[in-house]
Amino acid sequence: MHTLPSSVQLSRRNCLRWAAAAGVAALAGTARAGAIEKIRARGTLSVAIYQEMPPFHVAGQGIDVELAQALAGALDVKLSLLPFQADENMRDDLRNMVWRGHYLGFGPADVLLHVPVDRPLMNDTPQALIFAPYYRERVVLARRLDRLPQMETLSSLGDAKVAVSGKTLAGWLMIGADNGAYRGQLDTQPKDGAEAARALQRGEVAAAAGLASEMESVLHGDARFAIAPLPSVRIQRNGWAVGMAVKKDATDLAQALQASVNALVQGGRLQKMFEGGRVAWQAP
């Protein structure tokens, strides 16, 4: 399970200011040409994305795939996707896909998407630049309104059955919530939050926990369900920013990708990518 990032609450207007604080703009005066030249010479941008992460990537489709295509287009090169399975933690993924390469012989890529834009992670991984937040993720609980009309605290669940993937952050939170009070009513078999949401949609459970993007991609627009932050004192309700990472010396590439993300936000194209995935875009 990846380390839970600390939360940095940002408004849409402050995205550029935050990027500067994250270190990208501060490198403008010392950026060394090289990364972009190599990318343009070979004609492709290699983008690492997580394998089977709905709604961001499923079988070659998803929000992160569209974002990768837009980034490659902004550099006027073709896209080369490098899907991979998550390792034990985010630092391992950064090592394998950004600054060293996997021990099985693939990677690193030019850029890794879906990286928590998290100050402790930045400090612990000096080999990578983490920047360009493009979404704010949260852990949420979706519920049937006819079964659970109110949800002030998790105790409102009563004995209702809840679907949640046991190997995820949401699963860990639900298993440990209120000293394990809900373990007996959890269905932890779903492989991810989207599958848990489908169990809720089919009426097999009264509630489902997972990431907001997962729940929304399945339940968006269905008035039978409500989706709200998971009532828990162990996680901040405003979530965490999601961005991308490149090698520490690829500052020219980082600046170009940051500019591309800024343009996608300002032009409304990024928001449309999320709408296409049935996800409400949350400004980082």
Side-chain angles (χ1 to χ4, degrees):
M1 181 183 298
H2 288 169
T3 303
L4 175 66
S6 59
S7 178
V8 182
Q9 189 171 14
L10 296 173
S11 68
R12 179 174 172 180
R13 183 174 296 177
N14 286 336
C15 283
L16 288 174
R17 297 178 190 171
W18 195 95
V24 176
L27 292 166
T30 59
R32 291 179 293 171
I36 291 181
E37 288 181 0
K38 292 177 182 177
I39 289 167
R40 287 180 172 151
R42 69 171 182 262
T44 59
L45 176 70
S46 175
V47 181
I49 59 174
Y50 286 98
Q51 187 73 274
E52 298 302 309
M53 179 188 274
F56 293 93
H57 176 226
V58 179
Q61 304 293 322
I63 297 168
D64 276 354
V65 177
E66 288 191 42
L67 175 57
Q69 291 168 339
L71 296 176
L75 294 178
D76 197 25
V77 295
K78 295 180 180 179
L79 171 64
S80 176
L81 281 179
L82 183 54
F84 73 103
Q85 294 288 346
D87 212 313
E88 290 298 318
N89 58 60
M90 194 69 229
R91 292 172 184 82
D92 291 340
D93 293 345
L94 288 167
R95 180 191 65 237
N96 294 338
M97 307 311 298
V98 175
W99 61 269
R100 190 170 77 180
H102 200 281
Y103 66 87
L104 292 179
F106 60 90
D110 297 313
V111 57
L112 167 62
L113 298 187
H114 230 90
V115 179
V117 184
D118 180 58
R119 180 60 62 184
L121 181 61
M122 294 175 184
N123 293 339
D124 291 346
T125 317
Q127 304 92 338
L129 287 176
I130 301 173
F131 63 102
Y134 59 89
Y135 176 62
R136 178 164 291 277
E137 188 64 275
R138 298 166 297 151
V139 177
V140 299
L141 184 76
R143 68 185 194 276
R144 290 186 63 97
L145 289 171
D146 60 349
R147 297 276 303 280
L148 298 166
Q150 301 294 328
M151 182 62 63
E152 296 298 327
T153 67
L154 285 177
S155 63
S156 301
L157 287 170
D159 60 358
K161 194 172 182 180
V162 181
V164 62
S165 177
K167 297 181 179 180
T168 62
L169 173 59
W172 174 71
L173 290 168
M174 286 300 300
I175 290 169
D178 295 342
N179 297 315
Y182 312 104
R183 290 182 184 179
Q185 62 203 77
L186 298 181
D187 172 8
T188 58
Q189 296 305 306
K191 65 179 180 179
D192 53 41
E195 189 171 287
R198 285 190 287 271
L200 173 61
Q201 192 176 48
R202 292 191 298 265
E204 298 170 5
V205 293
L211 299 179
S213 57
E214 295 172 318
M215 295 291 127
E216 291 175 3
S217 68
V218 176
L219 304 173
H220 175 77
D222 194 327
R224 296 176 298 167
F225 306 101
I227 303 174
L230 182 69
S232 173
V233 297
R234 303 172 73 177
I235 182 171
Q236 293 191 20
R237 292 167 65 91
N238 65 341
W240 60 94
V242 173
M244 57 191 72
V246 301
K247 291 180 182 177
K248 67 175 181 180
D249 58 353
T251 51
D252 59 333
L253 177 59
Q255 291 167 35
L257 295 178
Q258 178 70 66
S260 298
V261 171
N262 294 343
L264 291 172
V265 173
Q266 292 165 2
R269 187 176 171 190
L270 184 63
Q271 294 90 318
K272 290 186 180 300
M273 292 179 191
F274 279 84
E275 289 172 5
R278 295 165 53 90
V279 176
W281 182 69
Q282 295 287 330

